[in-house]
Amino acid sequence: MEVLRPVLINIKGRIYRKNPVQEECYEEEEDDYPSSGAAEQCLDEPCDAYNIEQTDRGFRCAIDVPSVLYKYIIGKKGETRKRLESETKTSISIPKQGVEGQIVITGAHRAAVASAVTRVEVLIDSFRRKQPFTHFLSFALNHPQVQQGFLRFREQVLELCGQDAGVDESIFQNPAKLHLTIGTLALLNEQEVTRASELLQQCRDAIRDITEAKPLPVEVRGIEYMNDDPSMVDVLYAKVTVRDGSDKLQQIADRLVEYFAAAGLMERERERVKIHGTVMNTLFRKDPSAEDKGASARPNAKDREAFNAKNILQMFGEVYFGAFELNSVQISQRFSTDSTGYYSSAGRVTFS
């Protein structure tokens, strides 16, 4: 790491500088919590974003942490918590595993409590990033006309390209779940789901400014892939454009990622969102409910068998799926299904 250009991390909208420390590796033992492992320390700066209260015995601060992450603060045999308490001269109280609540940090000095809060936050953030995503921001593409176009595409591909390596019916998307992925979210308890839903509602006016408070007429036409070898493809995407030729859909996606990243709920991986609608995915071969993390995900060769898309791209490169008026964006819950066959919604904003 370059000293003059340290790694910066965003935790709930606050920016911290990471300082590398010696990594410790432990093997997990049954009924033991893993240690902090690759967690990195941060500058012990005052934690003004939290309410550190003065009490009769000193100072106190309560932090909202999902119960699934408690074990990373406790560490193997309690080692992580003991080290944090020793180094900051504080006491860290953690609810029982599986019980949602607050981690409470107490100490004789405000600076000590602030230091412990910052270290706990950085530690939690490092392990939060390793959690599988639970929700994603999406534009639904499952309009009846698009579904019909997709079913025609699937039928023709299987008829004309079904003998190509790796091509079979199992790798096609469920037509009722056709969608554009904007970004993924790891929401680890109901409080975080509520927070994300409220944030989406706060974006409503900005979205309607872009759409002029009207639905967006969009067209789904053409397919593309993202790696450099069309004979070894894991995912094929449908291309979606606004019919008036504007970039309003891109503007909405970029604005949403900007808001959610600033709030610490999403990682911003590139300047502009790569809007993509999956139509074929080799992850579906083993698990029809599987979801790619997004265009930037790195497929694990052990988990998927690529297919030869050369003929598909040549024959169906500009295939027409359909057109419709897009009128909402939603927080979709992974591995879920609503009454229409689409993903269950944890929050929605309409364009009009």
Side-chain angles (χ1 to χ4, degrees):
M1 181 185 73
E2 206 172 322
V3 175
L4 296 180
R5 295 182 180 179
V7 176
L8 301 178
I9 58 173
N10 183 322
I11 302 177
K12 297 182 180 179
R14 302 187 305 281
I15 305 300
Y16 292 102
R17 184 179 75 193
K18 276 189 175 182
N19 295 324
V21 297
Q22 180 91 23
E23 290 193 0
E24 299 173 345
C25 297
Y26 298 93
E27 293 183 6
E28 281 195 43
E29 297 179 6
E30 190 174 357
D31 297 327
D32 281 336
Y33 296 112
S35 83
S36 59
E40 296 178 273
Q41 290 184 340
C42 169
L43 287 182
D44 296 333
E45 296 171 347
C47 196
D48 296 333
Y50 282 101
N51 180 24
I52 299 177
E53 304 171 344
Q54 187 166 7
T55 67
D56 294 339
R57 298 184 178 181
F59 295 86
R60 175 187 184 276
C61 185
I63 311 172
D64 291 315
V65 177
S67 61
V68 70
L69 299 179
Y70 293 165
K71 58 186 178 183
Y72 302 117
I73 301 300
I74 296 171
K76 181 180 173 183
K77 297 182 179 179
E79 291 174 1
T80 302
R81 173 164 58 179
K82 291 175 185 175
R83 190 185 73 246
L84 288 172
E85 290 177 329
S86 174
E87 292 178 354
T88 61
K89 294 180 173 57
T90 59
S91 175
I92 301 174
S93 175
I94 302 174
K96 291 182 180 180
Q97 188 67 21
V99 177
E100 295 297 338
Q102 293 182 313
I103 289 180
V104 178
I105 300 174
T106 56
H109 304 285
R110 177 185 291 273
V113 173
S115 174
V117 168
T118 298
R119 293 188 187 200
V120 167
E121 278 287 358
V122 172
L123 187 63
I124 285 300
D125 182 72
S126 68
F127 284 102
R128 175 186 286 279
R129 293 168 187 265
K130 299 177 183 179
Q131 302 300 309
F133 75 93
T134 60
H135 296 72
F136 56 99
L137 285 172
S138 74
F139 298 122
L141 296 181
N142 63 343
H143 185 275
Q145 186 182 125
V146 177
Q147 288 196 52
Q148 290 171 12
F150 171 78
L151 291 172
R152 286 194 302 271
F153 165 73
R154 185 178 69 183
E155 180 182 355
Q156 292 170 1
V157 167
L158 291 174
E159 178 183 350
L160 299 175
C161 308
Q163 300 304 311
D164 293 347
V167 176
D168 63 57
E169 188 171 2
S170 70
I171 64 175
F172 286 85
Q173 174 68 282
N174 177 345
K177 291 194 170 182
L178 288 166
H179 66 276
L180 291 178
T181 301
I182 301 169
T184 59
L185 304 158
L187 306 176
L188 304 180
N189 58 21
E190 286 302 316
Q191 289 85 353
E192 293 192 348
V193 173
T194 298
R195 181 171 170 241
S197 179
E198 290 172 349
L199 180 60
L200 181 60
Q201 293 302 317
Q202 293 169 21
C203 299
R204 184 183 62 182
D205 290 344
I207 291 172
R208 291 183 178 180
D209 285 345
I210 294 171
T211 66
E212 299 176 355
K214 297 183 292 186
L216 281 182
V218 298
E219 179 178 272
V220 187
R221 181 191 295 273
I223 53 176
E224 62 182 343
Y225 66 108
M226 303 226 178
N227 63 310
D228 56 2
D229 185 357
S231 67
M232 292 290 289
V233 171
D234 282 307
V235 186
L236 275 185
Y237 305 96
K239 294 187 282 188
V240 182
T241 57
V242 181
R243 300 194 77 177
D244 65 5
S246 71
D247 68 343
K248 291 179 180 178
L249 199 62
Q250 184 70 53
Q251 288 183 49
I252 294 171
D254 290 341
R255 188 68 63 86
L256 285 168
V257 171
E258 179 182 335
Y259 280 132
F260 276 77
L265 289 173
M266 182 181 291
E267 290 188 51
R268 184 164 194 164
E269 298 178 349
R270 50 170 54 88
E271 189 64 28
R272 304 198 79 190
V273 177
K274 176 63 179 177
I275 301 176
H276 57 286
T278 300
V279 293
M280 298 173 71
N281 187 336
T282 57
L283 285 178
F284 299 153
R285 201 187 303 279
K286 292 184 177 180
D287 181 4
S289 67
E291 290 296 328
D292 247 340
K293 184 168 183 181
S296 63
R298 297 178 181 177
N300 186 336
K302 295 180 181 179
D303 297 333
R304 54 208 307 178
E305 173 196 346
F307 65 96
N308 187 343
K310 281 185 175 180
N311 289 328
I312 299 175
L313 290 163
Q314 184 176 352
M315 297 179 188
F316 302 98
E318 293 302 320
V319 62
Y320 178 73
F321 292 98
F324 69 103
E325 289 195 337
L326 180 66
N327 195 36
S328 69
V329 58
Q330 76 169 48
I331 299 173
S332 298
Q333 183 179 337
R334 195 181 184 192
F335 305 129
S336 69
T337 304
D338 67 11
S339 59
T340 71
Y342 194 64
Y343 299 94
S344 299
S345 172
R348 181 192 308 271
V349 163
T350 59
F351 300 168
S352 61

